[in-house]
Amino acid sequence: MAVAYDTSGSGGNSSSSSVSFAITVGSNSDRVVYALVTRGNADAPSSITFGGSAMTLVGSAVTQGTASNSRLYRLIAPSTGSQTFTVNWSGNSNCGAVVISLYNVHQTTPDENSLSSWSATSGNPSGIDVSGALAAGDLAIGFAASHGNSSITITATAGTSTDRQNQTNPNTAWMSFDGLTDTAGTPTWTISAGDTRTAYACAIHVVGGGGG
């Protein structure tokens, strides 16, 4: 079975210690949820949950000393129906998050090479890609986020990319994913930020087939 998109959601706050919002997870088999969070300092979340279950850190990046950071989390086999995503920090700062729900995902090894690439820089991040070609039924997801940028754009240069979620205030966190299943293809993206402040991008290879 090929990995398929279910739904997504986003939220953000200025000078806050938390972000919380709900999405409705479909009654599909072999579900996985990913969440990208971005923060106006280097603090890691004190807790991050989806439907009351703790999420697992996949990877993170901090840039400009302690100015900001972004982190990617996942939860295997989330509950269906309306589920609340909540991320908490110990103090106040600008913060944002995007969440994407997928299904037909391998339940033991949902993503290969965890974080195939991660770029963090002042201004535009470098291009990102997944490590190697996708197997039939697999999916590549490109994430981009910024702290304070007026806009951020992620564009597929190999494969077909679809804009799934855009959180614009106070932190832009823009998500797309690539449905390419051709084993000869290696999806790649370029990223363009609206100004010279910090921006982040990463890509993961989500494994299809379900089960595990």
Side-chain angles (χ1 to χ4, degrees):
M1 299 289 288
V3 177
Y5 171 79
D6 175 29
T7 190
S8 58
S10 66
N13 292 310
S14 299
S15 188
S16 177
S17 62
S18 67
V19 174
S20 185
F21 54 88
I23 66 171
T24 300
V25 177
S27 298
N28 303 299
S29 299
D30 301 312
R31 302 176 300 277
V32 171
V33 168
Y34 289 92
L36 180 71
V37 300
T38 186
R39 175 75 165 166
N41 57 36
D43 292 348
S46 55
S47 66
I48 180 166
T49 60
F50 185 83
S53 298
M55 303 188 77
T56 299
L57 179 67
V58 177
S60 62
V62 180
T63 192
Q64 288 187 326
T66 60
S68 61
N69 76 92
S70 282
R71 300 171 192 267
L72 182 66
Y73 293 82
R74 87 162 88 81
L75 177 64
I76 299 172
S79 298
T80 60
S82 180
Q83 304 295 329
T84 299
F85 166 81
T86 303
V87 55
N88 294 301
W89 291 270
S90 59
N92 291 339
S93 185
N94 288 355
C95 46
V98 290
V99 172
I100 182 170
S101 172
L102 305 172
Y103 60 98
N104 296 336
V105 180
H106 197 281
Q107 297 291 281
T108 303
T109 311
D111 42 80
E112 291 186 353
N113 306 312
S114 288
L115 227 55
S116 296
S117 59
W118 189 285
S119 176
T121 185
S122 298
N124 292 335
S126 59
I128 55 172
D129 59 24
V130 297
S131 180
L134 300 180
D138 291 357
L139 184 72
I141 308 178
F143 295 90
S146 69
H147 175 65
N149 281 302
S150 57
S151 64
I152 191 165
T153 302
I154 179 170
T155 304
T157 55
T160 303
S161 192
T162 303
D163 180 3
R164 290 296 180 182
Q165 197 67 44
N166 189 9
Q167 172 61 31
T168 58
N169 185 22
N171 290 346
T172 301
W174 195 98
M175 179 188 301
S176 73
F177 75 79
D178 190 311
L180 183 67
T181 56
D182 182 354
T183 56
T186 301
T188 61
W189 295 266
T190 59
I191 301 93
S192 177
D195 55 36
T196 59
R197 287 172 285 184
T198 304
Y200 301 89
C202 63
I204 55 171
H205 175 173
V206 181
V207 180

